[in-house]
Amino acid sequence: MNIHLILQMAADAMGHREAIVAGKTRLTFEELGRAAKVVASHIHTGERVGYFTENHQVMPAALFGAALAGTQFVPMNYRLSSDQIEAQLARIAPAVVITDRDMHVDNIRDILPVDALTGDHYEGEAPDVDGGVAVELFTSGTTGEPKSAILKHDNLMAYIFGTVEFMSAEENEAALLAVPPYHIAGIAAVLSSTYAGRKMVQLPHFTAEAWIDLAKRENVTNAFLVPTMLQRIVELAGEDLDLPLLKNVAYGGGKMPRQTIEAAMKLLPHVNFTNAYGLTETSATICMLGPDDHREAFTSKDPAIKRRLGSAGMPIPSIELQIRSEEGALCGAEETGLVWVRGDQVSGEYKGLGSQLDADGWFLTKDRGFVDAGGYLFIDGRADDVIVRGGENISPGEIEDVVRAHAAIKDVAAVAVADVEWGEAVGLAVVCTGDISDDEICAMVKSQLRSSRLPSVIHRMDELPYNETGKLLRRVIRDQLAN
Amino acid sequence: MGQIYKPGTKLSSTVCKTQIMVLRAPAEELEITCGGAPMQVGDPAELGDMTGENFGTLVGKRYTDEAESMEFLCTRGGDGSVGVGGYVIDVKAAKKLPSSD
């Protein structure tokens, strides 16, 4: 298979529909189809297509154009330091890189976004190669050196066929794309919007103000946000947010604080919220908590239903999910273990490291979690972030949830600190908006959790370190608390 | 005369505009027709005559046999109906999921 088919079908069946809104530029699906052929004509044999700029009208054309020319699309994080950028460029050479900057790396050709959209049309057919790779995506590397995840055409097509119906969007639907192109959600949004026939409205630089303005101006109906973005929108909006046409908001890419989703649901009662849980390595979403589950959990008095607002939902029909202990035994309901998944969209392969799938095709997400009696998945956090105190596994999330509930606490992170007696103990980094003493914080933890969860260090910060897509940088906090 | 088809194979009708892609197929020889005539890899130079009863195909719809042992995606719609081994295959009911991106 080849993901270019998605664009070809959209251009054939709904060519007149608007596909892209980027500033003052507007392209139909038919025009996007031609733009992809132009981008493809700039690719020399053997080159990958690097993408090193913000969301721009050329991005969807570059993704599909690379596929048409039979090569990989490699979007890169333009916020990295120049050393990191050079190292990543060296890993993708030879490549033609769409960028506004001058690149001085061997076997890397740079081309301006506008130039990539000017030229001849590539006349060839999109190739169908067994095991062909469509996208190489550097993982965010919050716990170590970024790995290059390999997403095959077959993985991405399985994701689309498993989650989107062709041409299912109404003619007036418009999705606001605010997630950067080097995030799996940025890639998935282009593929699903095209297959559904939904207009893509690009926002290159996220601020809450710009997002709200653009949503109003372009009559946006759908959006995907990482939790930090939703939090900023809710904070800026205050009591009132006038977006009557906004219909569906999906969120993912990090843990959503309960306070934020509750505030958003109050602010936008007519909006359908969906929590989409997925990883780069799984070609985006593998579990969903849908709008009905949100509303039920929001209004329920039953604690077991109420807490589902913090759940990642249930596996989508094309995905199997298991919770296994460290030793590999299947866990029962409410039993925390490691999250394993299986399905055609799961790649689980890194460049240079090969496939990480086990003999039966299962992939270890390295997330810890459990399912409740109803089959709803709860994610605890990354297995690497677990605090091991005297042999007892402590998940940072359970402590953070308790502390965050206090009105004077704006943000909190629990991390492992070295401890002479226990090996590791709980260190807490807190951002406070009001007066709260260390003793009060400890008393709060003690009243709700076992004594092993008591923080041995509490560190006050002006704000916690996040990367630009809203992932908490626990490594940075661990380093700070170690000093 | 049947053939074994692998997923990703695109077949064109020889009597209408229909094109389908194999998503899933059993590892056995299949005779795939559209509008009463065998389908082929690549578009025909000119279209022949349609025979039998035809209801047409719709782009983006998935078609499956009664036992759901095979699945095809219609990548270009046309006037003919697709059949396997003489039986017309039908549109697979879609499961509606909320929009996740």
Side-chain angles (χ1 to χ4, degrees):
Chain A
M1 285 181 219
N2 187 304
I3 57 167
H4 182 264
L5 177 69
I6 290 171
L7 176 59
Q8 198 189 321
M9 286 170 69
D12 282 353
M14 18 184 200
H16 66 282
R17 283 198 191 188
E18 263 190 348
I20 297 170
V21 177
K24 290 194 176 113
T25 307
R26 308 180 90 90
L27 292 184
T28 62
F29 282 107
E30 197 183 346
E31 288 166 327
L32 176 57
R34 284 203 294 269
K37 288 184 181 174
V38 174
V39 173
S41 74
H42 288 284
I43 307 165
H44 297 172
T45 309
E47 281 181 337
R48 292 186 179 78
V49 178
Y51 187 84
F52 192 82
T53 186
E54 296 163 338
N55 266 322
H56 178 282
Q57 69 197 71
V58 74
M59 185 274 181
L63 170 64
F64 290 118
L68 176 60
T71 190
Q72 299 89 333
F73 179 69
V74 193
M76 299 167 75
N77 186 344
Y78 42 82
R79 290 189 175 94
L80 298 178
S81 72
S82 40
D83 285 357
Q84 288 171 310
I85 291 162
E86 280 189 13
Q88 291 200 350
L89 283 171
R91 284 167 73 179
I92 73 160
V96 54
V97 178
I98 299 171
T99 178
D100 299 303
R101 299 198 217 176
D102 288 329
M103 300 290 181
H104 301 286
V105 176
D106 287 349
N107 296 314
I108 295 289
R109 285 195 302 132
D110 48 59
I111 183 168
L112 288 170
V114 285
D115 291 346
L117 286 171
T118 322
D120 297 331
H121 288 182
Y122 180 87
E123 293 299 343
E125 290 272 320
D128 180 7
V129 181
D130 271 346
V133 177
V135 175
E136 290 178 17
L137 211 48
F138 288 99
T139 59
S140 55
T142 45
T143 49
E145 187 69 16
K147 292 193 284 275
S148 176
I150 283 173
L151 300 178
K152 297 189 179 120
H153 289 278
D154 290 356
N155 300 135
L156 293 166
M157 292 300 257
Y159 168 68
I160 292 302
F161 293 149
T163 59
V164 193
E165 272 304 302
F166 183 70
M167 221 162 109
S168 54
E170 304 285 332
E171 290 244 16
N172 64 353
E173 285 185 26
L176 213 172
L177 273 52
V179 174
Y182 54 83
H183 192 287
I184 181 62
I187 305 275
V190 171
L191 299 175
S192 345
S193 302
T194 304
Y195 200 62
R198 188 179 296 122
K199 187 187 335 186
M200 298 169 255
V201 180
Q202 294 182 326
L203 177 61
H205 268 303
F206 176 86
T207 64
E209 212 164 13
W211 189 90
I212 294 170
D213 280 353
L214 191 56
K216 284 184 183 166
R217 198 164 64 237
E218 290 296 337
N219 298 327
V220 162
T221 55
N222 291 54
F224 179 91
L225 294 162
V226 299
T228 328
M229 291 176 174
L230 185 61
Q231 195 166 347
R232 294 203 183 138
I233 291 165
V234 166
E235 276 171 18
L236 180 74
E239 297 295 304
D240 183 43
L241 186 54
D242 181 31
L243 291 170
L245 296 176
L246 186 63
K247 205 165 62 184
N248 299 301
V249 171
Y251 62 87
K255 190 177 164 69
M256 174 66 83
R258 186 174 183 107
Q259 289 83 343
T260 303
I261 185 62
E262 284 192 342
M265 288 177 75
K266 269 185 209 140
L267 204 53
L268 298 164
H270 61 287
V271 167
N272 294 316
F273 285 94
T274 298
N275 181 359
Y277 164 69
L279 293 84
T280 304
E281 296 89 330
T282 61
S283 314
T285 309
I286 46 176
C287 287
M288 281 186 199
L289 185 78
D292 293 341
D293 288 322
H294 273 79
R295 294 200 173 95
E296 202 188 345
F298 186 66
T299 49
S300 178
K301 298 270 185 283
D302 179 350
I305 306 283
K306 211 174 146 86
R307 74 168 175 170
R308 284 189 185 153
L309 205 46
S311 158
M314 301 228 207
I316 58 175
S318 46
I319 284 287
E320 295 171 89
L321 183 139
Q322 286 183 349
I323 308 290
R324 299 186 201 165
S325 70
E326 301 270 351
E327 294 74 37
L330 274 185
C331 294
E334 302 293 326
E335 216 181 312
T336 299
L338 297 163
V339 179
W340 291 76
V341 292
R342 180 164 75 172
D344 289 341
Q345 73 185 68
V346 178
S347 133
E349 186 173 344
Y350 304 106
K351 208 165 144 187
L353 299 172
S355 172
Q356 309 292 303
L357 304 183
D358 75 5
D360 300 316
W362 288 91
F363 174 67
L364 171 61
T365 62
K366 294 203 177 144
D367 276 338
R368 273 164 52 90
F370 65 90
V371 289
D372 71 7
Y376 287 78
L377 173 68
F378 288 79
I379 296 294
D380 236 16
R382 301 294 290 166
D384 296 341
D385 295 331
V386 164
I387 303 160
V388 187
R389 184 183 183 275
E392 187 182 1
N393 285 338
I394 301 174
S395 124
E398 58 173 321
I399 305 170
E400 291 162 5
D401 288 347
V402 167
V403 177
R404 194 180 278 112
H406 195 283
I409 301 284
K410 188 175 171 216
D411 207 356
V412 54
V415 297
V417 290
D419 188 275
V420 181
E421 192 180 354
W422 300 101
E424 282 180 358
V426 177
L428 220 51
V430 291
V431 179
C432 303
T433 49
D435 270 348
I436 181 166
S437 67
D438 287 2
D439 286 348
E440 283 172 90
I441 294 174
C442 288
M444 192 161 56
V445 174
K446 205 173 173 181
S447 70
Q448 294 183 53
L449 300 171
R450 296 165 60 183
S451 61
S452 55
R453 273 69 176 164
L454 269 182
S456 66
V457 185
I458 296 180
H459 179 61
R460 287 158 195 273
M461 297 175 81
D462 293 334
E463 91 185 342
L464 298 186
Y466 286 92
N467 76 4
E468 63 291 337
T469 52
K471 276 215 173 74
L472 181 63
L473 299 171
R474 290 181 188 274
R475 200 174 26 158
V476 174
I477 299 173
R478 269 201 296 272
D479 290 348
Q480 288 204 15
L481 263 66
N483 298 316
Chain B
M1 207 177 51
Q3 204 181 320
I4 296 176
Y5 293 98
K6 72 178 180 70
T9 307
K10 280 192 217 160
L11 297 171
S12 298
S13 169
T14 56
V15 299
C16 72
K17 283 183 70 183
T18 298
Q19 186 192 56
I20 61 169
M21 186 175 73
V22 181
L23 294 178
R24 218 154 39 80
E28 58 189 59
E29 292 193 355
L30 299 176
E31 260 178 78
I32 306 178
T33 59
C34 178
M39 298 187 82
Q40 62 177 39
V41 175
D43 291 338
E46 60 187 83
L47 298 180
D49 291 327
M50 214 179 312
T51 56
E53 211 177 358
N54 288 284
F55 306 98
T57 53
L58 280 172
V59 62
K61 293 290 178 204
R62 279 180 268 183
Y63 292 81
T64 185
D65 61 324
E66 211 168 341
E68 297 203 3
S69 66
M70 58 188 88
E71 194 175 340
F72 306 93
L73 172 72
C74 176
T75 53
R76 200 172 58 208
D79 298 325
S81 287
V82 176
V84 177
Y87 292 96
V88 168
I89 55 171
D90 221 341
V91 172
K92 187 181 176 185
K95 41 194 185 296
K96 180 82 181 144
L97 287 177
S99 170
S100 63
D101 41 34

